[in-house]
Amino acid sequence: YLELMESLTLGLIGLDDVNFSCLSGSLLKLERLHFGKFFFDSCRGVDHQSIRDFIGSLASIREFEFLHLSTKNCENLSDRALSIFGNLLKEFVNLNELHLFLDGCPNVNDEGLKELARGLSSLENLKQITLSFAACRSITNDGAEEIVKTGSALPEPKESVINFQDCPRVTI
């Protein structure tokens, strides 16, 4: 019955890489999924490979319109994961809303934000975006400016929320 599911909310705290891989494989069966909320806060298994598998699985769903992804405090999440995520975003041709929470991820910095911004700029149908990088210590004004510029360039009507609270190297 997975192939008939249109909406999914999933919260898994502390997920490891083996279980994350199994989850990504299961998503390939969700052919009609339009709406997904995923909470993977403090997961040891969230890294560039798991993001590639997970987002790649979602990208294969052509009607996918809404993505909420929270990976707060995931120590293994890095710029490489954001680069992969940014490159896969162009596959989400019907995505209307994106809510991405990377708060407290110590290995996220400007290079990852720049790649993410490039991917976001390819989303022609995106109307609402929330990006939160609170307490990411390695982000500077350079990366923050790229994200803000991309968020401001969304097509009308648009709603953008971008958070760099408690990022000590962001002063804009």
Side-chain angles (χ1 to χ4, degrees):
Y1 295 104
L2 283 178
E3 61 273 358
L4 300 177
M5 190 179 302
E6 294 183 5
S7 177
L8 177 62
T9 299
L10 185 62
L12 300 166
I13 306 288
L15 195 66
D16 64 21
D17 57 345
V18 173
N19 290 322
F20 207 94
S21 179
C22 291
L23 171 65
S24 297
S26 298
L27 289 174
L28 293 171
K29 299 175 183 171
L30 302 175
E31 299 170 2
R32 295 184 183 189
L33 191 68
H34 295 277
F35 180 97
K37 279 186 158 185
F38 306 96
F39 300 89
F40 302 128
D41 300 339
S42 301
C43 289
R44 297 179 311 276
V46 177
D47 62 10
H48 66 279
Q49 291 175 323
S50 57
I51 288 294
R52 181 196 63 222
D53 295 344
F54 179 75
I55 298 301
S57 296
L58 288 178
S60 69
I61 304 169
R62 287 287 165 218
E63 300 303 315
F64 201 72
E65 298 174 5
F66 179 99
L67 175 59
H68 177 115
L69 178 61
S70 179
T71 58
K72 295 177 184 176
N73 301 311
C74 291
E75 294 179 4
N76 293 327
L77 192 71
S78 67
D79 288 336
R80 192 165 176 196
L82 283 184
S83 177
I84 290 167
F85 184 67
N87 286 328
L88 287 170
L89 277 175
K90 65 181 173 282
E91 302 296 324
F92 289 90
V93 295
N94 292 311
L95 194 64
N96 292 317
E97 288 189 41
L98 174 64
H99 305 277
L100 182 61
F101 297 87
L102 300 166
D103 304 348
C105 295
N107 295 316
V108 170
N109 65 38
D110 295 344
E111 291 308 311
L113 293 188
K114 290 174 184 177
E115 290 298 321
L116 179 62
R118 280 196 262 298
L120 291 170
S121 66
S122 70
L123 297 175
E124 296 175 6
N125 293 317
L126 195 63
K127 303 286 190 270
Q128 185 175 12
I129 187 169
T130 303
L131 300 171
S132 184
F133 306 99
C136 290
R137 299 181 306 265
S138 299
I139 295 173
T140 70
N141 286 344
D142 290 342
E145 287 172 358
E146 287 293 320
I147 290 292
V148 169
K149 182 172 58 173
T150 301
S152 301
L154 290 175
E156 298 291 337
K158 65 181 176 184
E159 181 179 331
S160 299
V161 176
I162 302 173
N163 179 17
F164 290 102
Q165 181 178 347
D166 296 326
C167 294
R169 298 173 67 194
V170 176
T171 59
I172 60 171

